[in-house]
Amino acid sequence: DSGVTQTPKHLITATGQRVTLRCSPRSGDLSVYWYQQSLDQGLQFLIQYYNGEERAKGNILERFSAQQFPDLHSELNLSSLELGDSALYFCASSVEVAGGGGELFFGEGSRLTVL
Amino acid sequence: DAKTTQPPSMDCAEGRAANLPCNHSTISGNEYVYWYRQIHSQGPQYIIHGLKNNETNEMASLIITEDRKSSTLILPHATLRDTAVYYCIALKAAGNKLTFGGGTRVLVKP
């Protein structure tokens, strides 16, 4: 158990709909990362938050948005869903250590199926 | 962050040591080498990291060459549960996002 909690574990929805994925980081971790993993692609970095502020952005579509709340949990919002958005979405958290060495702890993922 | 190159796949016999190579010839002096693994459809799991010295923990050993252009992850006694995709990543500092490549798909056989 990594200590990172993601809900829901599975989600099935239709094209055009909107869903929200939730992530609770490990206690004390200030950084939250979101990754997408679809069948034909590897793990793709989407976005990172640190203590409520966006820190880095990857290949995140404009239809997707995220935020980190004061209690440090994060939500990833996916809207106008398309078939190609079907994927595993992972959240990870980390505590940053000065000079390096802060590993990421990943949750078990939310599997999204768009029909 | 420097690009890393790994073989796409390798087999290993159960109970034997698994040696996973990684090339990172353009790594800079302040980049760490991190190893993660992903067991089928589970979240990636941190294994080990190092800067220039060899490192060992309860999961594995990491051997980094003196010129730091390559490294080897060693699983000392592979078990069937070590079957996974293993990722080698060069990373400048904590707090930077991890960029996953293709990794090495390791199959541990009985």
Side-chain angles (χ1 to χ4, degrees), chain A residues 51-64:
Chain A
N51 202 20
E53 299 291 325
E54 181 184 303
R55 171 169 277 192
K57 187 177 275 193
N59 299 323
I60 187 166
L61 299 172
E62 285 191 11
R63 300 183 286 109
F64 297 180

Side-chain angles (χ1 to χ4, degrees), chain B residues 21 34 52 86 88:
Chain B
Y34 278 78
K52 46 187 173 181
Y86 287 76
C88 168

Side-chain angles (χ1 to χ4, degrees), chain B residues 57-101:
Chain B
N57 63 20
E58 65 278 4
M59 288 183 68
S61 295
L62 174 60
I63 308 297
I64 302 174
T65 58
E66 195 167 339
D67 63 8
R68 300 203 339 114
K69 292 186 177 181
S70 65
S71 60
T72 301
L73 179 75
I74 300 172
L75 307 177
H77 305 286
T79 71
L80 299 180
R81 285 180 292 182
D82 291 322
T83 291
V85 179
Y86 287 76
Y87 298 96
C88 168
I89 301 166
L91 187 65
K92 273 189 184 152
N96 284 10
K97 64 186 191 301
L98 290 173
T99 300
F100 290 86

Side-chain angles (χ1 to χ4, degrees), chain A residues 38-70:
Chain A
S38 50
L39 275 177
D40 57 349
Q41 296 203 12
L43 282 153
Q44 301 290 320
F45 168 73
L46 294 178
I47 198 164
Q48 178 199 358
Y49 280 83
Y50 176 78
N51 202 20
E53 299 291 325
E54 181 184 303
R55 171 169 277 192
K57 187 177 275 193
N59 299 323
I60 187 166
L61 299 172
E62 285 191 11
R63 300 183 286 109
F64 297 180
S65 65
Q67 55 184 328
Q68 186 179 27
F69 294 87

Side-chain angles (χ1 to χ4, degrees), chain B residues 6-27:
Chain B
Q6 301 176 253
S9 65
M10 63 182 292
D11 293 346
C12 174
E14 186 180 21
R16 304 293 294 269
N19 296 308
L20 282 62
C22 179
N23 286 323
H24 30 79
S25 58
T26 61
I27 197 168

Side-chain angles (χ1 to χ4, degrees), chain A residues 6-81:
Chain A
Q6 290 188 247
T7 56
K9 288 187 167 43
H10 301 276
L11 189 55
I12 301 174
T13 190
T15 54
Q17 295 298 304
R18 172 190 170 95
V19 298
T20 297
L21 309 180
R22 182 188 168 100
C23 171
S24 294
R26 292 188 324 150
S27 177
D29 285 359
L30 299 180
S31 275
V32 169
Y33 307 74
W34 286 97
Y35 284 82
Q36 178 193 54
Q37 187 173 37
S38 50
L39 275 177
D40 57 349
Q41 296 203 12
L43 282 153
Q44 301 290 320
F45 168 73
L46 294 178
I47 198 164
Q48 178 199 358
Y49 280 83
Y50 176 78
N51 202 20
E53 299 291 325
E54 181 184 303
R55 171 169 277 192
K57 187 177 275 193
N59 299 323
I60 187 166
L61 299 172
E62 285 191 11
R63 300 183 286 109
F64 297 180
S65 65
Q67 55 184 328
Q68 186 179 27
F69 294 87
D71 67 353
L72 300 178
H73 91 272
S74 178
E75 293 182 355
L76 179 66
N77 300 297
L78 315 175
S79 62
S80 303
L81 286 168

